[in-house]
Each structure stands twice: as structure tokens, then as C-alpha cells.
Amino acid sequence: MKELNAAVEQRDVLFRKIGEAALAAHPSLPEAAAAVQARDVLLAADKEAAGPPNVRAKAAQKAADAKARRAFGKLAQKAIEGGLPLAGQEPAVAELRAVEGRIKELS
């Protein structure tokens, strides 16, 4: 189970990296607007959670993080599936495919 969780976390990190590259290279994609909005909400939630301990702020931060993960994951998937050029991201895409295969094995 630990290995599966680590693989899922690695996949999310790769999706974020590829999604950020897709956002920079293809800001006109429909998924890009959702990713920008999710990133802005996450930054605001992080700022609020950095203040005095607050259960609501921590919950909002957790929800914003999940939303950003989904948004950047969708953006990355769209770019990969569409064969859009993502300068310098070929190794990350290959690693993502390997991690996804590992997740399937472990599931």
C-alpha cells in the first residue's frame, strides 16, 4: 500500500510539472483556464493557512490542493493525448507512463 501511495504521489507531481509546461506552451486550451483558477485558489488558501492555526483554512487548503491536482492532471492529459509539443517534457511524459503502469500493477 505504501508503494502504491508513493507511486500515486509521484504521478501527481509529474502531472503538475507537465501541466505547468502545457499551461505555458498552450494557454488557449480550455483546461488551462481551470488550471489557472485552481492555482490561484490554492495560492490564496496556502496564504490563509500560513497564518494562525485555523481548521477552516486547513480544510480549504486541502480542498484547493485536490482541485489543483485534478485541474493540472486534466490539462496534462489533454496535452499528452493531443500530442501537443511540450518543450523538454519528453522525459517527464515517459516517466509518467512508467509510473501509471506501476500503479496498474499495484492496484
Side-chain angles (χ1 to χ4, degrees):
M1 192 64 160
K2 237 181 199 180
E3 195 175 341
L4 177 60
N5 288 337
V8 169
E9 182 65 31
Q10 184 180 10
R11 179 194 64 190
D12 290 346
V13 167
L14 290 166
F15 269 142
R16 181 67 184 247
K17 180 180 178 182
I18 296 166
E20 289 284 358
L23 182 61
H26 308 284
S28 62
L29 287 174
E31 293 80 4
V36 168
Q37 181 183 16
R39 181 177 56 192
D40 292 345
V41 170
L42 179 59
L43 290 174
D46 285 346
K47 186 176 178 182
E48 186 176 334
N54 180 339
V55 173
R56 269 192 182 162
K58 287 291 183 187
Q61 181 186 33
K62 187 174 180 177
D65 182 56
K67 184 177 181 179
R69 285 176 185 246
R70 284 189 307 273
F72 277 96
K74 286 180 182 180
L75 179 59
Q77 278 299 120
K78 179 73 170 188
I80 292 168
E81 289 172 1
L84 300 176
L86 300 170
Q89 295 302 311
E90 294 82 9
V93 172
E95 185 178 354
L96 175 66
R97 289 190 174 127
V99 168
E100 286 180 327
R102 185 76 178 135
I103 290 170
K104 277 187 178 180
E105 287 175 13
L106 296 170
S107 296

